[in-house]
Amino acid sequence: MSNKLAIDGGEPVRDTRLPYGRQSISDEDIEAVSEVLRSDWLTTGPKVSEFERSFAQFVGVSEAVAVSNGTAALHAAMYALEIGPGDEVIVPPITFAASANCVVYQGGMPVFADIDPGTLLLDPERVEDGITPRTKAIVSVDYAGQACDYDALSAIAQSHGLALVDDACHAVGGSYKGRRVGSLADLNTFSFHPVKHITTGEGGAIATDDPKLAERMRVFRNHGITTDHRQREQIGSWFYEMVDLGYNYRLTDIQCALGISQLRKLPAWVERRQEIARTYDVAFADIPAVQPLAVRADVSHAYHLYVVQLDLDRLCVDRAQIFAALRAEGIGVNVHYIPVHMHPFYRKRFGTGPGLCPVAEAAYERIITLPIFSHMGTQDVDDTVAAMRKVVGVYLR
Ligand SMILES: *Cc1c(COP(=O)(O)O)cnc(C)c1O
């Protein structure tokens, strides 16, 4: 194959675009969903509690609360912790905006703490720096699927009397020092969007060992009403009370049936993602200017994303050009994420902007996300490596 880049009119590595992530749906999944469609309960029926029990058991906690998406899970967590006006919550900048938006929904203020340049995870020292008398909680994000340093974060939270919330949307199936992600913080939030490890179409959950917080979130997801339709049906009563302002953040039985079926496959899917990551790690070890994110020895990485940092000093083009060239080769690369504090909304509302988190801002210029998903084939992995080798080879300084 010629090394003329597809972006310059050469032949692409592949003809069809490989996505960076994709769901995997089997006949069993479809059958599980069909069964619910033929049943009496389409929503808030037996499948919701079954999914909650299975999920809680999988991550190793006593309670899981299923909600309509990962953002609702974060909102419910902030509500349960009674975050409100005047309160500050520490969040990392390299994450999906929802990790910080949830604080704003409740009238609180997100305070951005910078990250470690190797792992791109929240730096405990920067967390300490961000604490004020108004700080109520820390939201840690297990970016790309690697658990944060929970011994350090828990110690900080404990010594300052703060709640610790793990936005674990990237890390289901991962672990830290042998403990499953989902059991590492006071509240642990998940998303079941199709690009995540397991899907319910849209969906989310909060895992916790605190029954009081779980109960608050169950009321919150149902308009602030203390009983649900099925419970009233069972006791033959029409009476209910709305005790607080909640939302309709419920997940349907149709979705939960899909979630139960998908959850069974999660361990094998995480293993496959780890296997793909190992192949990438080995291949990129001898491609100059391409550095996979650092992985600590005390974690089992769930690899929602496979992210590399480009050594721009060794390249004669920027990340945007590498991105465009890889896309032209048929590799559906992406960038995760634009630092949240750089978005126009945050600049306008909270006066954030360049210079606030220099490590995150510098990392943002260099990161690129490569395809990784459970049923990605060997050829797909080889194509990604070949395209990376080809593109970086041409642009090497
Ligand atoms: C996906 C994701 C969310 C939001 O989940 P939705 O289900 O899309 O609402 C929040 N935080 C992180 C880190 C995510 O990756």
Side-chain angles (χ1 to χ4, degrees), residues 69-71 74 95-96 98-99 141 167 169-170 191 196 203 337:
N69 54 66
T71 306
L74 285 159
T95 183
F96 184 54
S99 312
V141 175
D167 178 346
C169 290
H170 291 187
S191 165
K196 307 291 162 72
Y337 296 88

Side-chain angles (χ1 to χ4, degrees), residues 289 291 309-320 322 362 365-367 397:
Q291 299 158 343
Q309 303 203 69
L310 300 170
D311 184 352
L312 296 175
D313 292 339
R314 303 188 63 181
L315 296 167
C316 55
V317 293
D318 63 7
R319 190 263 319 276
I322 301 276
E365 302 295 332
R366 298 196 303 261
I367 47 177
R397 212 188 262 283

Side-chain angles (χ1 to χ4, degrees), residues 8 17 23 53 66 70 86 88 114 116 125 133 137 147 160 197 213 218 262 293 300 371 373 377 392:
D8 295 328
R17 164 86 49 90
Q23 73 276 12
R53 276 195 306 275
E88 295 176 2
D114 215 344
D116 175 273
E125 281 185 38
H160 293 271
H197 290 74
L213 293 178
R218 289 204 172 90
Q262 291 255 304
L293 291 188
S300 171
F373 47 96
V392 168

Side-chain angles (χ1 to χ4, degrees), residues 202-223:
E202 295 277 359
I206 312 96
T208 182
D209 270 319
D210 187 323
K212 278 210 190 74
L213 293 178
E215 181 52 28
R216 274 181 67 77
M217 294 186 289
R218 289 204 172 90
V219 170
F220 183 70
R221 75 167 171 199
N222 188 35
H223 309 279

